[in-house]
Amino acid sequence: MPRTLPIHINRDGLHDIEVAQSFEADDSFTVALENHGAPVHAYVHLDDDLSRVASLEATNHYVEDGSTRNVTVTVHDAPASGKLKIATGYGAETAYVDVDVTEPDERSDSVQVDESLSKPKRRPADPEPEPSELTKNLPLLVLGGLALVLVIGVGAIVDGVVAVFGALVVLVGLGAAAYFLTR
């Protein structure tokens, strides 16, 4: 369905209005006021039946010579029908358009779904298996073991409270590292 209702103003004379006799929409649409002559004020109005389901931001529009002014008709509900009134020259010239607002076509906004979406997609086989967590973290485990041996050796040589405290700190650090590595 067309989304624009063209209205030609001043094409055949001052304040002349040319418009289709009817227009059909299933959603909001634009009224294009195309001025072919001198600047003009155009009045756009929805009758009572149409104003129940649609609205305009403004009704009086100034259209410069040789320009087009777009007026949005916002549709809130459907179906309905009514008249759209266009007047120029302070009502000297008036035209009416029969507007039918229909229910939106469900098919135009819907997404087609076929049965292929219900089948799981196959994942490509991994070219190489991932190394295990132990293999990835082996250098850290070796380094931690060396630190433990070093602390125990220093504790045996120094034989003091500070060496025992250092051994406990290293053991806690190794425990925390093991926890985060296996997580």
Side-chain angles (χ1 to χ4, degrees), residues 59-119:
T59 56
N60 193 8
H61 304 278
Y62 178 74
V63 188
E64 293 185 11
D65 60 330
S67 68
T68 301
R69 176 80 182 256
N70 291 324
V71 178
T72 302
V73 177
T74 306
V75 175
H76 308 288
D77 197 11
S81 62
K83 293 198 179 288
L84 181 122
K85 175 183 174 182
I86 305 96
T88 60
Y90 301 101
E93 293 291 326
T94 304
Y96 293 91
V97 179
D98 291 323
V99 177
D100 288 320
V101 179
T102 61
E103 290 286 336
D105 186 11
E106 296 294 328
R107 291 175 287 156
S108 65
D109 294 337
S110 65
V111 176
Q112 298 297 325
V113 178
D114 63 1
E115 291 186 27
S116 67
L117 289 175
S118 66
K119 298 175 186 171

Side-chain angles (χ1 to χ4, degrees), residues 140-151:
L140 292 174
L141 292 175
V142 169
L143 189 61
L146 259 136
L148 186 59
V149 168
L150 181 67
V151 167

Side-chain angles (χ1 to χ4, degrees), residues 161-177:
V161 176
V162 175
V164 172
F165 179 72
L168 286 174
V169 168
V170 169
L171 283 174
V172 168
L174 284 174

Side-chain angles (χ1 to χ4, degrees), residues 2-7 23 25 27-33 44 56 68-75 84:
R3 296 265 186 207
T4 303
L5 171 61
I7 299 174
F23 182 77
D27 201 0
S28 298
F29 61 94
T30 302
V31 174
L33 300 169
V44 181
L56 295 165
T68 301
R69 176 80 182 256
N70 291 324
V71 178
T72 302
V73 177
T74 306
V75 175
L84 181 122

